[in-house]
Amino acid sequence: MKRAFNFSAGPAALPLEVLEEAAAELFDYRGTGMSVMEMSHRSDEFVEIAQRAEADLRELLGVSDDYAVLFLQGGATAQFAAVPLNLLGEKVAADHVNTGAWAKKAISEAKHYCRANVVASSEATNFDRVPPRAEWKLDRNAAYVHIIGNETIGGVEYHDIPDVGSVPLVSDMSSTLLSRPIDVSRFGAIYAGAQKNIGPAGLVLVIVRRDLLGRARADTPSVLDWKLNADNDSMYNTPATYSWYIAGLVFRWIKRQGGLVAMEQRNRAKAQKLYRAIDASNFYRCPVVERDRSLMNVTFTLADESLDKAFVKGAEAAGMQTLKGHRSVGGMRASLYNAVPEAAVDALIEYMASFEAEHGA
Ligand code: PMP
C-alpha cells in the first residue's frame, strides 16, 4: 500500500489507524452483519456510536454541560446562515471581523438576515493578519461578534481569543478545532466543518451555549434550528451517520495520542519547521505576518510565479499531493492537520530546498 503525503486543505488526510479500524469493521460492525453505513440511526448500535463520539469530543475539548454539541449536515456554509437565524433574536445587527475569503462568505450570508457590521478588516493589507483587537469598532447592540478562527485559504489564525465583553463570540473553527486546546467557555458558539481535523465531509459540529438556544427566527428551516436539533440529539432528521462514526474513531485516536496538548505540540513543531525553512530562504515567502500565521494552513509563494506549475508537478512526482494554493490567492498552501505526519513536512522541506537549488537565482 502506498500512502501519499497529503497536504490537502479539506477533505484532508485522516489517520491511517482510523482508516484501518473502519476497514476492519466495514462489512460487519461488531457482529451486526452490516456496515455502520447501512444501519438505522435509531438502532442501539448507532445511538451508542453517536453518544460515545459526543462524550469523547466533550472530554477532548473540555465542553461543559452548559453547552449543547450538535452533529449536523450542510457544512460550515450552512452555519453561515444558521448563526444569524439562531442568534439574532430581537436584534438587527451582528459584528463581523473580515480576515479573508471565509469571513467574506460569512458576511455575505449574514446580510440576508441582518445588518452585518464589518468592525475590522485586514483587506487593505491583503488579509495578511488578524486586525488587532484594539482597532475593532464593536456595536454594543450587536447580537454577536463573528470571527473565522482560522482562514483556511489565507493561512491566518487567531492565536488568542479576543475579549468582546458580554456579547457572545461566535467562531468558525472549521480548520483549527481539535488542533490544540481551546477554552470553549469563552465562546457563545463554535462551529466546524468536519473535513479537516474531525472526519469526512458531510458533517458539521456546532457547540453552542444552551442559554443562547430558543431564539431562532420563526422562519428558520428545521434542519438549521439549533434548539430543535439539540432537543432531538441531532436526529431531527437523518444525520450523516458514517461521517459521525468516523469522527468518533478520530476522537479516540486523538485521545490515544495524548489529547489536544499532544496535538498542539506536534502541530507547532511541524508548522515552525516549515515557516523557518520559508523564512530562511530568499526564494520562498510567507505572505502572513509572523504573529498570525496559521498552524494548520501554511501559505507561501515562490519568487517567480511562473515556476508554480513545475513546483507542484515535481512535488507530486515525489509523493506530495495538493500543495497548490486556493485558486483565489495562488501560490502554495501546505495544510498540516493532525493526521499529517512530521515526515511529510520533512519531505516537503527537502523538496523545497532542492527545487530552490535548481531554479533559484
Ligand atoms: N469556513 C472555513 C474556515 C472553511 O475552511 C471552509 C471550507 N474549507 C468553509 C467554511 C466551508 O465549509 P463547507 O464547504 O464544508 O461548507
PDB file of all heavy atoms in Angstrom, residues 9-10 74-80 102-103 105 148-153 172-175 191 193-196 201-204 297 333 337, ligand 1:
ATOM      1  N   ALA A   9      -6.280  20.839   1.875  1.00  0.00           N
ATOM      2  CA  ALA A   9      -6.932  21.712   2.867  1.00  0.00           C
ATOM      3  C   ALA A   9      -8.263  21.150   3.346  1.00  0.00           C
ATOM      4  O   ALA A   9      -8.811  21.588   4.347  1.00  0.00           O
ATOM      5  CB  ALA A   9      -7.138  23.099   2.265  1.00  0.00           C
ATOM      6  N   GLY A  10      -8.794  20.195   2.620  1.00  0.00           N
ATOM      7  CA  GLY A  10     -10.037  19.566   3.052  1.00  0.00           C
ATOM      8  C   GLY A  10     -10.969  19.318   1.885  1.00  0.00           C
ATOM      9  O   GLY A  10     -11.149  20.235   1.084  1.00  0.00           O
ATOM     10  N   GLY A  74     -24.594  19.952   6.041  1.00  0.00           N
ATOM     11  CA  GLY A  74     -24.624  21.229   5.322  1.00  0.00           C
ATOM     12  C   GLY A  74     -23.324  22.007   5.416  1.00  0.00           C
ATOM     13  O   GLY A  74     -23.217  23.103   4.859  1.00  0.00           O
ATOM     14  N   GLY A  75     -22.348  21.444   6.106  1.00  0.00           N
ATOM     15  CA  GLY A  75     -21.041  22.091   6.180  1.00  0.00           C
ATOM     16  C   GLY A  75     -21.076  23.401   6.948  1.00  0.00           C
ATOM     17  O   GLY A  75     -22.122  23.838   7.447  1.00  0.00           O
ATOM     18  N   ALA A  76     -19.910  24.025   7.021  1.00  0.00           N
ATOM     19  CA  ALA A  76     -19.827  25.334   7.685  1.00  0.00           C
ATOM     20  C   ALA A  76     -20.649  26.361   6.915  1.00  0.00           C
ATOM     21  O   ALA A  76     -21.162  27.321   7.500  1.00  0.00           O
ATOM     22  CB  ALA A  76     -18.376  25.773   7.787  1.00  0.00           C
ATOM     23  N   THR A  77     -20.812  26.135   5.623  1.00  0.00           N
ATOM     24  CA  THR A  77     -21.580  27.083   4.808  1.00  0.00           C
ATOM     25  C   THR A  77     -23.028  27.181   5.296  1.00  0.00           C
ATOM     26  O   THR A  77     -23.601  28.280   5.343  1.00  0.00           O
ATOM     27  CB  THR A  77     -21.538  26.661   3.328  1.00  0.00           C
ATOM     28  OG1 THR A  77     -20.162  26.573   2.936  1.00  0.00           O
ATOM     29  CG2 THR A  77     -22.244  27.666   2.438  1.00  0.00           C
ATOM     30  N   ALA A  78     -23.626  26.068   5.660  1.00  0.00           N
ATOM     31  CA  ALA A  78     -24.990  26.107   6.200  1.00  0.00           C
ATOM     32  C   ALA A  78     -25.004  26.913   7.504  1.00  0.00           C
ATOM     33  O   ALA A  78     -25.960  27.640   7.796  1.00  0.00           O
ATOM     34  CB  ALA A  78     -25.516  24.692   6.435  1.00  0.00           C
ATOM     35  N   GLN A  79     -23.935  26.806   8.269  1.00  0.00           N
ATOM     36  CA  GLN A  79     -23.883  27.531   9.539  1.00  0.00           C
ATOM     37  C   GLN A  79     -23.720  29.039   9.337  1.00  0.00           C
ATOM     38  O   GLN A  79     -24.089  29.821  10.208  1.00  0.00           O
ATOM     39  CB  GLN A  79     -22.773  26.973  10.447  1.00  0.00           C
ATOM     40  CG  GLN A  79     -23.010  25.529  10.870  1.00  0.00           C
ATOM     41  CD  GLN A  79     -24.391  25.306  11.477  1.00  0.00           C
ATOM     42  OE1 GLN A  79     -24.828  26.068  12.334  1.00  0.00           O
ATOM     43  NE2 GLN A  79     -25.084  24.271  11.026  1.00  0.00           N
ATOM     44  N   PHE A  80     -23.177  29.449   8.175  1.00  0.00           N
ATOM     45  CA  PHE A  80     -23.116  30.891   7.897  1.00  0.00           C
ATOM     46  C   PHE A  80     -24.535  31.487   7.950  1.00  0.00           C
ATOM     47  O   PHE A  80     -24.710  32.644   8.325  1.00  0.00           O
ATOM     48  CB  PHE A  80     -22.504  31.166   6.517  1.00  0.00           C
ATOM     49  CG  PHE A  80     -21.019  30.903   6.418  1.00  0.00           C
ATOM     50  CD1 PHE A  80     -20.410  30.743   5.172  1.00  0.00           C
ATOM     51  CD2 PHE A  80     -20.223  30.828   7.548  1.00  0.00           C
ATOM     52  CE1 PHE A  80     -19.057  30.518   5.062  1.00  0.00           C
ATOM     53  CE2 PHE A  80     -18.853  30.593   7.454  1.00  0.00           C
ATOM     54  CZ  PHE A  80     -18.274  30.438   6.194  1.00  0.00           C
ATOM     55  N   TRP A 102     -13.141  33.380   3.882  1.00  0.00           N
ATOM     56  CA  TRP A 102     -14.242  32.752   4.625  1.00  0.00           C
ATOM     57  C   TRP A 102     -15.033  33.779   5.420  1.00  0.00           C
ATOM     58  O   TRP A 102     -16.248  33.671   5.546  1.00  0.00           O
ATOM     59  CB  TRP A 102     -13.745  31.589   5.483  1.00  0.00           C
ATOM     60  CG  TRP A 102     -13.294  30.476   4.593  1.00  0.00           C
ATOM     61  CD1 TRP A 102     -12.016  30.015   4.412  1.00  0.00           C
ATOM     62  CD2 TRP A 102     -14.118  29.717   3.675  1.00  0.00           C
ATOM     63  NE1 TRP A 102     -11.995  29.037   3.452  1.00  0.00           N
ATOM     64  CE2 TRP A 102     -13.259  28.821   2.983  1.00  0.00           C
ATOM     65  CE3 TRP A 102     -15.475  29.714   3.360  1.00  0.00           C
ATOM     66  CZ2 TRP A 102     -13.729  27.934   2.000  1.00  0.00           C
ATOM     67  CZ3 TRP A 102     -15.951  28.833   2.390  1.00  0.00           C
ATOM     68  CH2 TRP A 102     -15.084  27.961   1.729  1.00  0.00           C
ATOM     69  N   ALA A 103     -14.329  34.780   5.928  1.00  0.00           N
ATOM     70  CA  ALA A 103     -15.045  35.865   6.625  1.00  0.00           C
ATOM     71  C   ALA A 103     -16.011  36.541   5.659  1.00  0.00           C
ATOM     72  O   ALA A 103     -17.162  36.833   6.008  1.00  0.00           O
ATOM     73  CB  ALA A 103     -14.044  36.871   7.189  1.00  0.00           C
ATOM     74  N   LYS A 105     -17.461  35.279   3.035  1.00  0.00           N
ATOM     75  CA  LYS A 105     -18.621  34.409   2.764  1.00  0.00           C
ATOM     76  C   LYS A 105     -19.615  34.487   3.933  1.00  0.00           C
ATOM     77  O   LYS A 105     -20.830  34.531   3.722  1.00  0.00           O
ATOM     78  CB  LYS A 105     -18.157  32.960   2.584  1.00  0.00           C
ATOM     79  CG  LYS A 105     -17.459  32.698   1.251  1.00  0.00           C
ATOM     80  CD  LYS A 105     -18.303  31.750   0.403  1.00  0.00           C
ATOM     81  CE  LYS A 105     -17.847  31.716  -1.046  1.00  0.00           C
ATOM     82  NZ  LYS A 105     -16.796  30.765  -1.312  1.00  0.00           N
ATOM     83  N   ILE A 148     -13.570  34.245  12.082  1.00  0.00           N
ATOM     84  CA  ILE A 148     -13.123  32.985  11.482  1.00  0.00           C
ATOM     85  C   ILE A 148     -11.839  32.615  12.229  1.00  0.00           C
ATOM     86  O   ILE A 148     -10.804  33.260  12.045  1.00  0.00           O
ATOM     87  CB  ILE A 148     -12.833  33.143   9.962  1.00  0.00           C
ATOM     88  CG1 ILE A 148     -14.045  33.716   9.216  1.00  0.00           C
ATOM     89  CG2 ILE A 148     -12.369  31.809   9.369  1.00  0.00           C
ATOM     90  CD1 ILE A 148     -15.208  32.784   8.969  1.00  0.00           C
ATOM     91  N   GLY A 149     -11.914  31.619  13.084  1.00  0.00           N
ATOM     92  CA  GLY A 149     -10.779  31.259  13.943  1.00  0.00           C
ATOM     93  C   GLY A 149      -9.517  30.960  13.161  1.00  0.00           C
ATOM     94  O   GLY A 149      -8.402  31.210  13.630  1.00  0.00           O
ATOM     95  N   ASN A 150      -9.691  30.425  11.975  1.00  0.00           N
ATOM     96  CA  ASN A 150      -8.544  30.161  11.100  1.00  0.00           C
ATOM     97  C   ASN A 150      -9.013  30.282   9.651  1.00  0.00           C
ATOM     98  O   ASN A 150      -9.920  29.556   9.243  1.00  0.00           O
ATOM     99  CB  ASN A 150      -7.987  28.764  11.360  1.00  0.00           C
ATOM    100  CG  ASN A 150      -6.751  28.462  10.524  1.00  0.00           C
ATOM    101  OD1 ASN A 150      -5.717  29.092  10.687  1.00  0.00           O
ATOM    102  ND2 ASN A 150      -6.862  27.512   9.608  1.00  0.00           N
ATOM    103  N   GLU A 151      -8.397  31.212   8.925  1.00  0.00           N
ATOM    104  CA  GLU A 151      -8.723  31.384   7.500  1.00  0.00           C
ATOM    105  C   GLU A 151      -7.961  30.317   6.711  1.00  0.00           C
ATOM    106  O   GLU A 151      -6.753  30.443   6.477  1.00  0.00           O
ATOM    107  CB  GLU A 151      -8.345  32.792   7.019  1.00  0.00           C
ATOM    108  CG  GLU A 151      -9.294  33.882   7.481  1.00  0.00           C
ATOM    109  CD  GLU A 151     -10.578  33.962   6.623  1.00  0.00           C
ATOM    110  OE1 GLU A 151     -10.726  33.187   5.657  1.00  0.00           O
ATOM    111  OE2 GLU A 151     -11.425  34.817   6.949  1.00  0.00           O
ATOM    112  N   THR A 152      -8.678  29.302   6.301  1.00  0.00           N
ATOM    113  CA  THR A 152      -8.070  28.138   5.655  1.00  0.00           C
ATOM    114  C   THR A 152      -7.360  28.503   4.350  1.00  0.00           C
ATOM    115  O   THR A 152      -6.364  27.877   3.983  1.00  0.00           O
ATOM    116  CB  THR A 152      -9.175  27.109   5.348  1.00  0.00           C
ATOM    117  OG1 THR A 152     -10.073  27.062   6.456  1.00  0.00           O
ATOM    118  CG2 THR A 152      -8.605  25.738   5.099  1.00  0.00           C
ATOM    119  N   ILE A 153      -7.887  29.498   3.651  1.00  0.00           N
ATOM    120  CA  ILE A 153      -7.300  29.874   2.353  1.00  0.00           C
ATOM    121  C   ILE A 153      -6.100  30.788   2.547  1.00  0.00           C
ATOM    122  O   ILE A 153      -5.037  30.579   1.961  1.00  0.00           O
ATOM    123  CB  ILE A 153      -8.380  30.532   1.460  1.00  0.00           C
ATOM    124  CG1 ILE A 153      -9.420  29.466   1.065  1.00  0.00           C
ATOM    125  CG2 ILE A 153      -7.749  31.188   0.225  1.00  0.00           C
ATOM    126  CD1 ILE A 153     -10.617  30.006   0.303  1.00  0.00           C
ATOM    127  N   ASP A 172     -16.043  30.403  13.550  1.00  0.00           N
ATOM    128  CA  ASP A 172     -15.940  29.307  12.591  1.00  0.00           C
ATOM    129  C   ASP A 172     -14.554  28.695  12.793  1.00  0.00           C
ATOM    130  O   ASP A 172     -13.543  29.311  12.463  1.00  0.00           O
ATOM    131  CB  ASP A 172     -16.099  29.869  11.173  1.00  0.00           C
ATOM    132  CG  ASP A 172     -15.822  28.829  10.095  1.00  0.00           C
ATOM    133  OD1 ASP A 172     -15.423  27.694  10.427  1.00  0.00           O
ATOM    134  OD2 ASP A 172     -16.006  29.161   8.905  1.00  0.00           O
ATOM    135  N   MET A 173     -14.536  27.506  13.375  1.00  0.00           N
ATOM    136  CA  MET A 173     -13.256  26.860  13.663  1.00  0.00           C
ATOM    137  C   MET A 173     -13.031  25.651  12.764  1.00  0.00           C
ATOM    138  O   MET A 173     -12.360  24.688  13.158  1.00  0.00           O
ATOM    139  CB  MET A 173     -13.204  26.447  15.127  1.00  0.00           C
ATOM    140  CG  MET A 173     -13.227  27.612  16.064  1.00  0.00           C
ATOM    141  SD  MET A 173     -12.440  27.175  17.614  1.00  0.00           S
ATOM    142  CE  MET A 173     -12.088  28.779  18.265  1.00  0.00           C
ATOM    143  N   SER A 174     -13.587  25.703  11.553  1.00  0.00           N
ATOM    144  CA  SER A 174     -13.511  24.554  10.648  1.00  0.00           C
ATOM    145  C   SER A 174     -12.100  23.972  10.541  1.00  0.00           C
ATOM    146  O   SER A 174     -11.927  22.767  10.580  1.00  0.00           O
ATOM    147  CB  SER A 174     -13.981  24.949   9.246  1.00  0.00           C
ATOM    148  OG  SER A 174     -15.361  25.246   9.258  1.00  0.00           O
ATOM    149  N   SER A 175     -11.107  24.860  10.408  1.00  0.00           N
ATOM    150  CA  SER A 175      -9.764  24.330  10.153  1.00  0.00           C
ATOM    151  C   SER A 175      -8.830  24.454  11.351  1.00  0.00           C
ATOM    152  O   SER A 175      -7.626  24.270  11.209  1.00  0.00           O
ATOM    153  CB  SER A 175      -9.168  25.019   8.927  1.00  0.00           C
ATOM    154  OG  SER A 175      -9.407  26.406   8.964  1.00  0.00           O
ATOM    155  N   TYR A 191     -18.484  26.569  15.480  1.00  0.00           N
ATOM    156  CA  TYR A 191     -18.884  25.540  14.520  1.00  0.00           C
ATOM    157  C   TYR A 191     -17.691  25.158  13.660  1.00  0.00           C
ATOM    158  O   TYR A 191     -16.727  25.917  13.526  1.00  0.00           O
ATOM    159  CB  TYR A 191     -20.084  25.984  13.666  1.00  0.00           C
ATOM    160  CG  TYR A 191     -19.872  27.234  12.859  1.00  0.00           C
ATOM    161  CD1 TYR A 191     -19.493  27.164  11.525  1.00  0.00           C
ATOM    162  CD2 TYR A 191     -20.059  28.494  13.420  1.00  0.00           C
ATOM    163  CE1 TYR A 191     -19.307  28.326  10.762  1.00  0.00           C
ATOM    164  CE2 TYR A 191     -19.869  29.643  12.672  1.00  0.00           C
ATOM    165  CZ  TYR A 191     -19.492  29.550  11.354  1.00  0.00           C
ATOM    166  OH  TYR A 191     -19.300  30.697  10.616  1.00  0.00           O
ATOM    167  N   GLY A 193     -16.791  22.574  10.113  1.00  0.00           N
ATOM    168  CA  GLY A 193     -16.976  21.502   9.135  1.00  0.00           C
ATOM    169  C   GLY A 193     -15.981  20.400   9.458  1.00  0.00           C
ATOM    170  O   GLY A 193     -14.884  20.673   9.945  1.00  0.00           O
ATOM    171  N   ALA A 194     -16.363  19.152   9.193  1.00  0.00           N
ATOM    172  CA  ALA A 194     -15.558  18.039   9.689  1.00  0.00           C
ATOM    173  C   ALA A 194     -14.316  17.725   8.871  1.00  0.00           C
ATOM    174  O   ALA A 194     -13.374  17.135   9.392  1.00  0.00           O
ATOM    175  CB  ALA A 194     -16.428  16.782   9.763  1.00  0.00           C
ATOM    176  N   GLN A 195     -14.288  18.146   7.599  1.00  0.00           N
ATOM    177  CA  GLN A 195     -13.330  17.533   6.675  1.00  0.00           C
ATOM    178  C   GLN A 195     -11.883  17.995   6.781  1.00  0.00           C
ATOM    179  O   GLN A 195     -11.140  17.937   5.826  1.00  0.00           O
ATOM    180  CB  GLN A 195     -13.827  17.701   5.239  1.00  0.00           C
ATOM    181  CG  GLN A 195     -13.917  19.141   4.723  1.00  0.00           C
ATOM    182  CD  GLN A 195     -15.244  19.810   5.013  1.00  0.00           C
ATOM    183  OE1 GLN A 195     -15.954  19.407   5.913  1.00  0.00           O
ATOM    184  NE2 GLN A 195     -15.591  20.844   4.263  1.00  0.00           N
ATOM    185  N   LYS A 196     -11.491  18.454   7.991  1.00  0.00           N
ATOM    186  CA  LYS A 196     -10.094  18.799   8.215  1.00  0.00           C
ATOM    187  C   LYS A 196      -9.551  17.920   9.352  1.00  0.00           C
ATOM    188  O   LYS A 196      -8.935  16.904   9.086  1.00  0.00           O
ATOM    189  CB  LYS A 196      -9.924  20.288   8.521  1.00  0.00           C
ATOM    190  CG  LYS A 196     -10.186  21.183   7.303  1.00  0.00           C
ATOM    191  CD  LYS A 196     -11.536  21.783   7.337  1.00  0.00           C
ATOM    192  CE  LYS A 196     -11.784  22.938   6.406  1.00  0.00           C
ATOM    193  NZ  LYS A 196     -11.458  22.868   5.011  1.00  0.00           N
ATOM    194  N   ALA A 201     -16.125  14.714   5.045  1.00  0.00           N
ATOM    195  CA  ALA A 201     -17.088  15.770   4.748  1.00  0.00           C
ATOM    196  C   ALA A 201     -18.503  15.251   4.983  1.00  0.00           C
ATOM    197  O   ALA A 201     -18.739  14.045   5.074  1.00  0.00           O
ATOM    198  CB  ALA A 201     -16.917  16.222   3.298  1.00  0.00           C
ATOM    199  N   GLY A 202     -19.433  16.168   5.091  1.00  0.00           N
ATOM    200  CA  GLY A 202     -20.839  15.773   5.280  1.00  0.00           C
ATOM    201  C   GLY A 202     -21.326  16.010   6.689  1.00  0.00           C
ATOM    202  O   GLY A 202     -22.501  15.845   6.984  1.00  0.00           O
ATOM    203  N   LEU A 203     -20.408  16.394   7.557  1.00  0.00           N
ATOM    204  CA  LEU A 203     -20.735  16.591   8.968  1.00  0.00           C
ATOM    205  C   LEU A 203     -20.219  17.960   9.384  1.00  0.00           C
ATOM    206  O   LEU A 203     -19.145  18.374   8.966  1.00  0.00           O
ATOM    207  CB  LEU A 203     -20.006  15.506   9.777  1.00  0.00           C
ATOM    208  CG  LEU A 203     -20.126  15.516  11.294  1.00  0.00           C
ATOM    209  CD1 LEU A 203     -21.520  15.051  11.713  1.00  0.00           C
ATOM    210  CD2 LEU A 203     -19.075  14.575  11.900  1.00  0.00           C
ATOM    211  N   VAL A 204     -21.008  18.659  10.183  1.00  0.00           N
ATOM    212  CA  VAL A 204     -20.521  19.909  10.773  1.00  0.00           C
ATOM    213  C   VAL A 204     -20.866  19.890  12.265  1.00  0.00           C
ATOM    214  O   VAL A 204     -21.970  19.500  12.646  1.00  0.00           O
ATOM    215  CB  VAL A 204     -21.106  21.148  10.042  1.00  0.00           C
ATOM    216  CG1 VAL A 204     -22.617  21.152  10.026  1.00  0.00           C
ATOM    217  CG2 VAL A 204     -20.597  22.459  10.662  1.00  0.00           C
ATOM    218  N   ASN A 297      -2.630  25.812   8.115  1.00  0.00           N
ATOM    219  CA  ASN A 297      -2.541  26.060   6.675  1.00  0.00           C
ATOM    220  C   ASN A 297      -1.388  27.016   6.424  1.00  0.00           C
ATOM    221  O   ASN A 297      -1.498  28.216   6.679  1.00  0.00           O
ATOM    222  CB  ASN A 297      -3.844  26.651   6.129  1.00  0.00           C
ATOM    223  CG  ASN A 297      -5.058  25.842   6.579  1.00  0.00           C
ATOM    224  OD1 ASN A 297      -5.738  26.226   7.530  1.00  0.00           O
ATOM    225  ND2 ASN A 297      -5.312  24.730   5.939  1.00  0.00           N
ATOM    226  N   ARG A 333       0.006  26.158  -0.705  1.00  0.00           N
ATOM    227  CA  ARG A 333      -0.554  26.012   0.645  1.00  0.00           C
ATOM    228  C   ARG A 333      -0.313  24.582   1.089  1.00  0.00           C
ATOM    229  O   ARG A 333      -0.725  23.637   0.415  1.00  0.00           O
ATOM    230  CB  ARG A 333      -2.045  26.317   0.645  1.00  0.00           C
ATOM    231  CG  ARG A 333      -2.724  25.960   1.958  1.00  0.00           C
ATOM    232  CD  ARG A 333      -4.181  26.363   1.977  1.00  0.00           C
ATOM    233  NE  ARG A 333      -4.919  25.840   0.835  1.00  0.00           N
ATOM    234  CZ  ARG A 333      -6.235  25.920   0.683  1.00  0.00           C
ATOM    235  NH1 ARG A 333      -6.949  26.528   1.601  1.00  0.00           N
ATOM    236  NH2 ARG A 333      -6.833  25.414  -0.362  1.00  0.00           N
ATOM    237  N   TYR A 337      -2.740  19.341   9.016  1.00  0.00           N
ATOM    238  CA  TYR A 337      -3.684  18.886  10.036  1.00  0.00           C
ATOM    239  C   TYR A 337      -3.090  17.751  10.884  1.00  0.00           C
ATOM    240  O   TYR A 337      -2.032  17.202  10.556  1.00  0.00           O
ATOM    241  CB  TYR A 337      -4.992  18.447   9.368  1.00  0.00           C
ATOM    242  CG  TYR A 337      -5.656  19.551   8.580  1.00  0.00           C
ATOM    243  CD1 TYR A 337      -5.971  19.393   7.243  1.00  0.00           C
ATOM    244  CD2 TYR A 337      -5.957  20.782   9.182  1.00  0.00           C
ATOM    245  CE1 TYR A 337      -6.580  20.411   6.512  1.00  0.00           C
ATOM    246  CE2 TYR A 337      -6.554  21.807   8.466  1.00  0.00           C
ATOM    247  CZ  TYR A 337      -6.860  21.621   7.130  1.00  0.00           C
ATOM    248  OH  TYR A 337      -7.452  22.646   6.421  1.00  0.00           O
TER     249      TYR A 337
HETATM  250  N1  PMP B   1     -15.204  28.025   6.743  1.00  0.00           N
HETATM  251  C1  PMP B   1     -13.906  27.646   6.663  1.00  0.00           C
HETATM  252  C2  PMP B   1     -12.921  28.270   7.596  1.00  0.00           C
HETATM  253  C3  PMP B   1     -13.528  26.671   5.735  1.00  0.00           C
HETATM  254  O1  PMP B   1     -12.246  26.299   5.659  1.00  0.00           O
HETATM  255  C4  PMP B   1     -14.495  26.091   4.889  1.00  0.00           C
HETATM  256  C5  PMP B   1     -14.170  25.027   3.888  1.00  0.00           C
HETATM  257  N2  PMP B   1     -12.892  24.835   3.542  1.00  0.00           N
HETATM  258  C6  PMP B   1     -15.816  26.532   4.997  1.00  0.00           C
HETATM  259  C7  PMP B   1     -16.142  27.490   5.939  1.00  0.00           C
HETATM  260  C8  PMP B   1     -16.906  25.968   4.132  1.00  0.00           C
HETATM  261  O2  PMP B   1     -17.125  24.668   4.501  1.00  0.00           O
HETATM  262  P1  PMP B   1     -18.100  23.701   3.700  1.00  0.00           P
HETATM  263  O3  PMP B   1     -17.572  23.633   2.299  1.00  0.00           O
HETATM  264  O4  PMP B   1     -17.980  22.419   4.430  1.00  0.00           O
HETATM  265  O5  PMP B   1     -19.456  24.285   3.770  1.00  0.00           O
END
